[in-house]
C-alpha cells in the first residue's frame, strides 16, 4: 500500500512536469494586465472567429512589464494588453512595442497615440464618488482643485495613491498646471487626513459602509457596485444580454453611493484609456495585429460598454442606459495628449515627498 | 579542514549534498539578482529613497505588527494544541481540522470578512444590532493576520505535544509540582523548538504579507515594496527595499538561532515513549469547548460564511463547472508535487542542522528561510532571468513553477521536520549503524518512521500555501495556466465576489480534504496507547 502510494506519487510528479512544455507554433500569446473577468469572454470569441489557439497570461501591468523586460527577446508573448497608458508608455520607452499600420490605429476615433505603437481599447473617467446619505452633491466643489478647501471633509475622504489611475490624474495635474500647483494640492489634501486604499474595490465598499464619505475613483467601480457587470458569458446578442440584466436584480442598486462630476473640462473628470500593443519580439506579428483589430470591432467595443461598463473608443457604439452618454462624458473631460502621462517618475517623487506613498 | 576528505564525504553522501545544493542555489539566485539590480541604481537616489523618515516608520510598524501577531497567534495556538492533543475532549479531530483550515484561504479573504462583519453597516450590526467600530489599521491587521496564521504555530505545537514523553511530567508531579508548574517548567521548555519554528514562520509571513495590510490600510515594509514595483514599474529601487527586508529577516533568523542554541529535547532513556494521559472530565471541558469553538468560529466560520454569502450573491448565474475543473487540476498538479518536493528537500537540510550542528549546517538551514522572506515578485523575476539564461527549455514549464513553489515555501517544511528530528533519539540510529546498516539505511529504517509525522505536516503546510499563492503563479506558470487562487483573486479584485466564491470554496474544500487525509494518516502512524501500555 505504502509503496503503491509513493510510486503513484512519483509517477504523477514526473508526468505533470513533462505535461506542459512548449507552445504550439501558430498560437497567440497575450500578456494581459486587465483581469480575467474583463477579458476572458472576448478572448473566447476571438478564438472561435479566427480559429487560432490563444493563451493568456494574467497579471498586473507592473508584473507583466517587469517580466517582459527580464524576458527580453525570449518572450513568448505576442500582445501586451494593459490597463493603463502609463504601462503602455513605459513599454514604448523600453522599445518593447512594434509600430502599427495606420489602417489599424485609424479604426479608433479618439485617444490614438502619435507614436503609433499601441491602440486604445476602452475609456474610463475619474469621478468623485460620494455617500448620498451623508453628503449633498450641491455642497461639493466645481473643481477638484477646490476639494482641499473643504475643511469639513477632514478624515472623510478616500483616495488610492498607489493606484495607477490616481497617479495618472496627478501626472495630468502636474503637466497641465505646474509642479508647484500639484504639490500644493497634494499637501493640502494630506492636511485633510484622507484614508489611503490600495485599490478601488475596497474603497468603494468602505464608502458604502460609511467609513468615508467621498472617494476619488473611476466611474465603473460605482457602476459595478450598483449594476453588476461582467456577468457570465458573452452573449453577443445585445437584446439577450439586456434581458439577462433585467431578470437578475441589480447587485446593489440601492447602495447609497453616487457619482459626482466636476464642471466640464475639469481635471477631476479626466478620461483615461486602456490599450494594447503588439510586441516587437513576437513571432506572430500578423496574428497580433489581427487581434488588436478585433478589439476595435463593433462587437468587442459594445461588449466593453455593456459588460464592463467602460466607454468605447469607436464612434457610434451604444452604451447601456444607466451610463452617461459618450459625448457628454467626453465633454466633461479636459482635452489632453495622453502621451504626456508617460512621465511617471516626477509624479512618484512628488507623491513620496508629500508622504502619500 | 582537509578539502579532499570533505569532497569525498560529499560524494558518498550525495543524497544529502544534492538537495542542500539545490536549496542553497535556489535561495542565492534571487539574492544575486537583487544585488545586481540594486547595483544598477544611482547610489544617491537609492540612498535617499531608503534612508528617510518613512523607512524608519515602516520599520517600526513592521516590527510592531510582527510582535502583535506573534502574541495573538500564541494566545490562540497554545491552548488549541493542548486541547486537541492532551485532553480526551470528544471531537478533537474535527477541532484539529478546524484549527488548520484557516490556512486554506488567502489572508485577504479573512480581511474582507472582518471588514464586512464590523462597522455600523456590517453584518453584525444588521443581524444582531451589535455595532463595533469598523476594523482597520493595527488592530484589524493583527486580528486578521493572527486568525489566518495561527495554524502554523498550532500544527508545530501539535507535533511537539504528541512527541513529548509524559514520563518527565510525571516525575515532576511526583516531586510535588502542581499542574501549572509542570506546564511552565517542564512542558513549555520542551515546546521551545516548535514555538520558535512556528513563530519564525509567522514572523516571516507577516514581514511579507501584502494582502491583509493593504486592506486594513496599515503601512509596512512589504506594502511599500509592493507599491514600488506596482506603481513605478521600478525593479531597481524595489530591489533596494527588498534587500532591506531580507536584512530584517536575517536579523530575526539570527535571533531565533540564538534562542534555540544548545538544547537537548529527545529522550535518553530506553523503551518506547508512551502517549500522555488525557484529562477530559469536569468543568474544564466546557471551557475548552468554548475556547476551541470560539477560535474555529472566528477564523473558519466567518470566512466560509463570507464566501457563502458571496456565493448567494450570484447563485442565479450557475456554477462555472468547466472553469472550476481546469482551475482545480492546475492548482493540484502544481501544489501537490511542490509539497512533496519541499518536504524531501527539507529533510536533509533539517537533518544536518539538528544532527551535525555546526555553524555552516545551521547556516544552510537558515538560508532556507531567506527564500521564504524574499518577496515573491523578486523571486519570480530572478527565476525568469536565471531560467532564460541557463535552462531556457525549462522556462514557462510546470517544472519551473513547482521548483519555485518548493524553494519558496521550504521554510514551512523545515520547521515540523526539525521539531520531529529533535525528538528522535540519535542513539537509535547509532545502534542501527553499529549493527551494520549504511548511514542512509539506518536513517531510513530508524529515524524516518519517527519523523514521518513531521513530514506530513510539512507537506500540508506547503500544499496549502501553494494552493493560494499568487505572484509566483502569475509570472512563472505556463501561459494559460490558471489556478483556483488566480481566479479567486481576479474576480474579487474586480468586485465580482459572486464569481470569486466558487473558486474560493473549492480551495477550502480541497485543502480540507487534503489535510483530513493527512491527519488520518497521522492517526495510523502513531501507535495506539493500548499497544504500548
Amino acid at each position: 500500500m505504502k509503496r503503491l502510494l509513493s510510486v503513484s506519487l512519483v509517477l504523477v510528479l514526473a508526468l505533470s512536469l513533462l505535461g506542459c512544455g512548449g507552445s504550439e507554433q501558430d498560437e497567440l500569446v497575450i500578456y494581459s494586465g486587465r483581469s480575467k473577468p474583463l477579458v476572458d469572454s472576448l478572448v473566447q470569441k476571438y478564438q472561435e472567429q479566427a480559429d487560432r489557439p490563444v493563451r493568456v497570461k494574467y497579471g498586473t501591468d507592473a508584473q507583466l512589464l517587469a517580466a517582459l523586460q527580464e524576458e527580453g527577446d525570449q518572450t513568448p508573448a505576442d500582445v501586451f494588453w494593459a490597463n493603463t497608458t502609463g504601462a503602455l508608455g513605459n513599454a514604448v520607452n523600453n522599445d518593447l512595442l512594434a509600430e502599427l499600420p495606420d489602417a489599424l490605429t485609424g479604426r479608433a476615433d479618439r485617444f490614438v497615440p502619435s507614436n503609433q505603437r499601441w491602440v486604445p481599447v476602452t475609456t474610463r473617467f475619474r469621478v468623485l464618488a460620494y455617500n448620498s446619505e451623508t453628503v449633498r452633491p450641491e455642497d461639493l466643489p466645481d473643481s477638484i482643485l477646490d476639494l482641499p478647501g473643504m475643511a469639513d471633509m477632514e478624515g472623510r475622504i478616500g483616495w488610492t495613491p498607489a493606484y495607477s489611475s490616481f497617479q495618472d490624474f496627478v501626472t495630468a495635474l502636474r503637466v497641465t498646471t505646474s509642479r508647484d500647483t500639484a504639490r500644493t494640492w497634494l499637501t493640502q489634501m494630506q492636511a485633510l487626513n484622507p484614508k489611503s486604499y490600495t485599490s478601488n474595490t475596497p474603497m468603494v465598499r468602505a464608502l458604502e459602509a460609511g467609513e468615508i464619505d467621498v472617494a476619488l475613483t473611476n466611474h465603473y467601480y460605482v457602476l459595478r457596485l450598483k449594476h453588476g457587470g461582467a456577468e457570465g458569458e458573452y452573449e453577443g446578442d445585445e437584446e439577450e444580454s439586456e434581458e439577462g440584466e433585467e431578470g437578475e436584480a441589480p447587485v446593489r442598486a440601492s447602495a447609497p453611493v453616487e457619482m459626482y462630476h466636476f464642471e466640464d473640462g475639469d481635471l477631476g473628470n479626466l478620461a483615461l484609456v486602456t490599450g494594447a500593443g503588439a510586441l516587437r519580439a513576437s513571432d506572430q506579428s500578423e496574428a497580433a495585429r489581427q487581434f488588436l483589430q478585433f478589439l476595435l470591432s463593433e462587437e468587442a467595443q459594445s461588449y466593453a460598454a455593456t459588460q464592463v461598463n467602460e466607454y468605447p473608443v469607436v464612434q457610434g457604439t451604444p452604451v447601456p442606459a444607466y451610463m452617461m452618454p459618450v459625448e457628454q462624458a467626453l465633454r466633461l473631460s479636459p482635452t489632453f495628449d495622453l502621451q504626456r502621462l508617460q512621465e511617471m517618475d516626477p509624479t512618484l517623487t512628488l507623491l513620496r515627498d508629500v508622504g502619500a506613498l | 579542514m582537509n578539502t579532499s576528505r570533505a569532497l569525498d564525504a560529499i560524494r558518498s553522501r550525495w543524497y544529502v549534498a544534492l538537495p542542500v545544493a539545490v536549496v542553497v542555489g535556489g535561495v542565492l539566485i534571487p539574492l544575486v539578482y537583487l544585488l545586481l539590480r540594486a547595483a544598477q541604481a544611482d547610489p544617491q537616489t537609492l540612498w535617499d529613497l531608503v534612508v528617510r523618515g518613512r523607512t524608519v516608520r515602516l520599520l517600526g510598524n513592521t516590527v510592531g505588527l510582527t510582535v502583535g501577531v506573534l502574541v495573538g497567534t500564541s494566545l490562540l495556538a497554545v491552548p488549541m494544541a493542548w486541547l486537541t492533543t492532551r485532553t480526551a475532549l470528544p471531537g478533537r479531530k474535527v477541532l484539529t481540522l478546524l484549527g488548520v483550515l484557516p490556512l486554506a484561504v488567502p489572508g485577504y479573504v479573512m480581511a474582507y470578512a472582518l471588514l464586512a462583519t464590523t462597522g455600523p453597516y456590517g453584518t453584525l450590526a444588521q443581524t444582531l444590532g451589535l455595532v463595533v467600530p469598523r476594523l482597520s489599521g493595527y488592530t484589524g491587521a493583527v486580528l486578521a493576520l493572527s486568525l489566518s496564521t495561527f495554524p502554523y504555530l498550532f500544527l508545530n505545537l501539535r507535533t511537539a505535544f504528541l512527541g513529548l514523553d509524559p514520563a518527565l511530567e510525571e516525575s515532576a508531579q511526583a516531586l510535588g509540582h502542581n499542574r501549572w508548574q509542570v506546564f511552565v517548567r517542564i512542558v513549555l521548555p520542551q515546546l521551545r523548538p516548535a514555538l520558535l519554528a512556528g513563530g519564525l514562520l509567522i514572523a516571516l509571513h507577516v514581514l511579507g504579507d501584502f494582502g491583509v495590510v493593504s486592506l486594513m490600510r496599515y503601512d509596512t515594509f512589504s506594502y511599500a515594496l509592493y507599491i514600488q514595483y506596482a506603481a513605478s514599474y521600478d525593479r531597481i529601487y524595489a530591489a533596494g527595499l527588498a534587500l532591506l527586508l531580507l536584512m530584517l529577516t536575517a536579523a530575526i533568523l539570527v535571533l531565533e538561532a540564538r534562542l534555540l542554541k544548545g538544547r537537548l529535547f529527545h529522550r535518553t532513556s530506553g523503551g518506547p515513549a508512551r502517549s500522555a494521559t488525557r484529562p477530559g472530565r469536569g468543568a474544564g471541558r466546557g471551557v475548552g469547548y468554548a475556547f476551541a469553538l470560539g477560535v474555529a468560529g472566528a477564523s473558519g466560520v466567518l470566512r466560509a460564511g463570507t464566501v457563502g454569502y458571496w456565493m448567494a450573491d450570484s447563485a442565479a448565474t450557475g456554477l462555472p463547472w468547466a472553469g472550476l475543473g481546469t482551475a482545480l487540476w492546475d492548482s493540484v498538479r502544481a501544489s501537490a508535487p511542490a509539497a512533496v518536493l519541499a518536504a524531501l528537500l527539507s529533510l536533509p537540510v533539517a537533518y544536518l542542522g539538528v544532527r551535525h550542528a555546526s555553524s555552516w549546517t545551521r547556516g544552510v538551514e537558515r538560508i532556507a528561510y531567506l527564500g521564504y522572506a524574499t518577496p515573491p515578485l523578486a523571486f519570480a523575476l530572478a527565476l525568469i532571468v536565471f531560467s532564460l539564461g541557463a535552462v531556457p527549455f525549462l522556462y514557462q514549464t510546470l517544472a519551473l513553477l513547482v521548483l519555485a513553489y518548493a524553494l519558496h515555501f521550504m521554510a514551512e517544511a523545515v520547521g515540523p521536520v526539525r521539531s520531529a528530528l529533535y525528538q528522535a533519539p540519535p542513539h537509535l540510529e547509532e545502534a542501527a549503524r553499529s549493527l551494520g546498516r549504511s548511514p542512509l539505511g539506518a536513517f531510513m529504517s530508524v529515524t524516518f518512521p519517527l519523523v514521518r509525522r513531521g513530514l506530513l505536516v510539512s507537506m500540508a503546510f506547503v500544499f496549502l500555501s501553494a494552493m493560494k499563492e499568487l505572484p509566483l503563479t502569475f509570472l512563472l506558470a505556463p501561459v494559460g495556466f490558471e489556478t483556483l487562487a488566480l481566479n479567486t483573486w481576479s474576480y474579487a479584485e474586480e468586485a465580482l465576489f459572486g464569481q470569486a466564491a466558487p473558486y474560493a470554496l473549492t480551495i477550502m474544500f480541497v485543502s480540507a480534504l487534503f489535510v483530513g487525509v493527512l491527519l488520518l494518516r497521522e492517526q495510523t502512524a502513531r501507535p495506539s496507547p493500548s499497544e504500548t501500555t
Side-chain angles (χ1 to χ4, degrees):
Chain A
M1 172 65 200
K2 220 187 294 174
R3 181 143 305 165
L4 193 73
L5 200 76
S6 42
V7 165
S8 59
L9 254 175
V10 169
L11 211 66
V12 167
L13 190 78
L15 275 180
S16 65
L17 294 192
L18 290 173
C20 63
S23 64
E24 291 164 55
Q25 271 311 303
D26 63 336
E27 185 180 66
L28 186 70
V29 176
I30 299 170
Y31 276 19
S32 172
R34 310 216 68 197
S35 64
K36 187 183 169 196
L38 309 183
V39 167
D40 196 39
S41 318
L42 272 182
V43 168
Q44 301 299 339
K45 198 81 197 163
Y46 172 77
Q47 202 162 341
E48 270 167 40
Q49 276 183 14
D51 193 27
R52 185 194 303 280
V54 181
R55 282 206 281 176
V56 188
K57 187 183 201 62
Y58 294 103
T60 63
D61 281 3
Q63 285 171 347
L64 294 172
L65 207 51
L68 280 170
Q69 284 178 49
E70 300 294 10
E71 285 171 351
D73 288 343
Q74 289 168 286
T75 183
D78 302 304
V79 172
F80 178 41
W81 189 356
N83 237 339
T84 59
T85 34
L88 289 163
N90 197 289
V92 172
N93 289 344
N94 286 297
D95 204 18
L96 294 171
L97 299 180
E99 199 164 318
L100 299 170
D102 290 341
L104 182 55
T105 52
R107 293 186 65 90
D109 290 301
R110 32 186 178 263
F111 304 119
V112 181
S114 51
N115 60 29
Q116 301 264 340
R117 297 293 184 99
W118 51 270
V119 291
V121 178
T122 59
T123 316
R124 57 272 289 277
F125 292 91
R126 297 291 294 169
V127 295
L128 183 68
Y130 65 95
N131 186 312
S132 55
E133 284 174 0
T134 51
V135 175
R136 290 188 310 158
E138 307 87 87
D139 298 339
L140 294 169
D142 287 340
S143 167
I144 195 167
L145 292 176
D146 299 327
L147 192 61
M150 299 192 66
D152 62 323
M153 279 293 165
E154 215 214 306
R156 297 165 65 194
I157 305 175
W159 69 0
T160 51
Y163 188 74
S164 56
S165 296
F166 178 80
Q167 293 176 349
D168 284 345
F169 154 74
V170 177
T171 311
L173 181 64
R174 192 172 53 77
V175 299
T176 53
T177 59
S178 71
R179 193 184 161 80
D180 286 336
T181 315
R183 181 188 293 274
T184 314
W185 187 84
L186 285 169
T187 318
Q188 288 174 346
M189 282 294 284
Q190 280 284 77
L192 287 182
N193 217 354
K195 295 193 166 142
S196 300
Y197 297 83
T198 21
S199 62
N200 288 278
T201 296
M203 179 165 75
V204 172
R205 294 250 151 168
L207 185 65
E208 187 199 3
E211 183 173 291
I212 45 173
D213 293 320
V214 296
L216 290 165
T217 183
N218 293 349
H219 79 273
Y220 52 89
Y221 287 103
V222 178
L223 292 179
R224 270 184 222 152
L225 177 77
K226 298 178 62 116
H227 304 282
E231 306 271 347
E233 293 297 296
Y234 176 64
E235 259 131 290
D237 185 341
E238 216 179 292
E239 280 166 43
E240 209 178 324
S241 67
E242 258 170 39
E243 224 172 49
E245 258 157 41
E246 265 172 50
E248 195 184 305
V251 183
R252 265 198 179 72
S254 60
V257 177
E258 296 295 336
M259 281 187 274
Y260 175 79
H261 303 281
F262 299 98
E263 64 185 3
D264 282 5
D266 190 78
L267 274 176
N269 306 327
L270 184 68
L272 294 169
V273 171
T274 71
L279 289 161
R280 267 177 9 105
S282 159
D283 51 358
Q284 300 274 331
S285 41
E286 184 51 44
R289 282 199 290 272
Q290 201 193 358
F291 180 73
L292 297 181
Q293 187 142 2
F294 169 75
L295 289 180
L296 294 172
S297 70
E298 199 181 315
E299 190 173 18
Q301 288 285 304
S302 93
Y303 171 85
T306 55
Q307 302 296 308
V308 185
N309 293 332
E310 293 184 341
Y311 285 94
V313 294
V314 174
Q315 211 99 48
T317 316
V319 300
Y322 57 79
M323 282 170 76
M324 176 188 280
V326 186
E327 287 69 29
Q328 197 185 339
L330 285 171
R331 235 187 354 260
L332 280 169
S333 169
T335 38
F336 189 87
D337 180 8
L338 286 172
Q339 275 189 73
R340 296 172 73 188
L341 291 184
Q342 282 177 28
E343 305 144 29
M344 289 290 290
D345 284 339
T347 304
L348 292 167
T349 314
L350 205 58
L351 284 168
R352 279 184 210 125
D353 285 353
V354 302
L357 268 188
Chain B
M1 171 99 186
N2 191 332
T3 343
S4 68
R5 247 181 63 193
L7 275 179
D8 271 349
I10 289 176
R11 211 171 307 138
S12 61
R13 305 272 167 87
W14 59 269
Y15 46 85
V16 174
L18 187 71
V20 169
V22 169
V23 170
V24 174
V27 173
L28 287 185
I29 287 168
L31 202 60
V32 170
Y33 165 82
L34 285 173
L35 285 171
L36 281 177
R37 284 287 171 264
Q40 285 180 338
D42 166 36
Q44 189 56 45
T45 326
L46 188 61
W47 184 252
D48 288 347
L49 192 73
V50 168
V51 184
R52 54 177 182 155
R54 191 177 145 80
T55 309
V56 177
R57 191 163 56 87
L58 288 177
L59 196 66
N61 279 356
T62 308
V63 173
L65 184 66
T66 311
V67 172
V69 174
L70 282 177
V71 171
T73 46
S74 306
L75 290 180
L76 295 173
V78 177
M80 274 291 268
W82 185 80
L83 279 174
T84 53
T85 54
R86 283 308 189 82
T87 64
L89 223 55
R92 291 187 308 274
K93 247 183 253 177
V94 177
L95 285 181
T96 307
L97 192 60
L98 284 176
V100 182
L101 269 192
L103 281 187
V105 173
Y108 65 85
V109 177
M110 185 78 231
Y112 265 122
L114 284 176
L115 286 173
T117 322
T118 56
Y121 297 87
T123 328
L124 273 181
Q126 279 172 1
T127 53
L128 303 173
L130 197 69
V131 179
V132 279
R134 196 158 193 262
L135 281 171
S136 66
Y138 183 75
T139 330
V142 167
L143 209 59
L145 281 170
S146 297
L147 283 174
S148 45
T149 57
F150 82 87
Y152 287 124
L153 198 55
F154 169 68
L155 279 183
N156 267 308
L157 283 174
R158 249 183 75 80
T159 316
F161 265 123
L162 288 175
L164 284 187
D165 187 348
L168 264 181
E169 292 162 59
E170 285 160 10
S171 315
Q173 236 161 358
L175 291 171
H177 284 61
N178 66 27
R179 263 210 199 149
W180 178 245
Q181 283 171 323
V182 171
F183 184 77
V184 173
R185 295 197 186 161
I186 309 294
V187 179
L188 218 49
Q190 295 190 75
L191 294 180
R192 198 150 152 171
L195 275 171
L196 285 173
L200 183 61
L201 221 48
I202 290 169
L204 297 184
H205 187 96
V206 173
L207 285 190
D209 172 79
F210 164 72
V212 172
V213 290
S214 71
L215 281 173
M216 290 295 176
R217 297 187 299 102
Y218 190 67
D219 262 358
T220 63
F221 240 108
S222 54
Y223 181 74
L225 188 67
Y226 169 83
I227 287 169
Q228 209 50 231
Y229 270 114
S232 47
Y233 308 115
D234 192 341
R235 297 163 295 151
I236 292 167
Y237 299 124
L241 279 179
L243 285 172
L244 262 185
L245 189 65
L246 282 178
M247 279 197 253
L248 189 61
T249 312
I252 291 183
L253 288 172
V254 169
L255 183 74
E256 198 248 353
R258 281 272 159 86
L259 289 174
L260 193 65
K261 218 165 182 175
R263 303 265 154 181
L264 188 68
F265 298 101
H266 57 77
R267 301 167 57 245
T268 48
S269 65
R274 284 177 297 111
S275 291
T277 51
R278 300 162 177 276
R281 280 174 291 269
R285 184 192 254 193
V287 180
Y289 266 129
F291 176 80
L293 287 178
V295 173
S299 58
V301 176
L302 192 60
R303 253 183 255 231
T306 304
V307 175
Y309 174 73
W310 290 356
M311 191 94 176
D313 238 17
S314 75
T317 47
L319 284 180
W321 288 114
L324 269 180
T326 45
L328 176 61
W329 170 232
D330 280 354
S331 276
V332 170
R333 72 191 167 132
S335 305
V340 176
L341 186 61
L344 290 181
L345 285 176
S346 71
L347 192 54
V349 170
Y351 186 84
L352 278 183
V354 172
R355 285 286 195 274
H356 301 275
S358 73
S359 49
W360 88 266
T361 55
R362 278 190 190 286
V364 167
E365 205 189 317
R366 288 302 178 283
I367 271 182
Y369 285 91
L370 274 187
Y372 192 61
T374 310
L377 199 55
F379 197 87
L381 289 175
L383 281 180
I384 289 180
V385 173
F386 170 77
S387 63
L388 281 176
V391 280
F393 56 89
L394 268 187
Y395 187 59
Q396 301 256 1
T397 59
L398 187 58
L400 189 67
L401 183 66
V402 168
L403 188 68
Y405 279 167
L407 287 174
H408 184 60
F409 291 121
M410 223 194 73
E412 297 185 345
V414 172
V417 174
R418 188 174 68 174
S419 298
L421 274 173
Y422 269 122
Q423 290 177 339
H427 58 238
L428 284 182
E429 205 176 320
E430 284 153 16
R433 287 293 308 280
S434 68
L435 291 172
R437 295 282 179 116
S438 68
L440 186 61
F443 173 80
M444 290 310 286
S445 56
V446 175
T447 308
F448 186 76
L450 291 174
V451 297
R452 226 174 64 194
R453 197 186 290 153
L455 276 175
L456 289 178
V457 175
S458 296
M459 285 185 208
F461 275 162
V462 177
F463 181 80
L464 293 180
S465 292
M467 283 289 282
K468 53 185 193 191
E469 207 287 330
L470 280 174
L472 290 177
T473 320
F474 269 133
L475 289 190
L476 293 176
V479 181
F481 194 86
E482 288 165 25
T483 62
L484 291 167
L486 224 143
N487 276 295
T488 309
W489 182 84
S490 313
Y491 286 111
E493 187 68 6
E494 296 298 328
L496 303 169
F497 295 110
Q499 278 96 317
Y503 295 98
L505 277 180
T506 312
I507 298 183
M508 285 198 243
F509 180 72
V510 173
S511 306
L513 209 67
F514 184 83
V515 175
V517 169
L518 280 186
L519 286 177
L520 275 183
R521 291 191 58 82
E522 179 191 83
Q523 222 61 37
T524 52
R526 191 174 67 229
S528 68
S530 57
E531 279 173 58
T532 47
T533 44

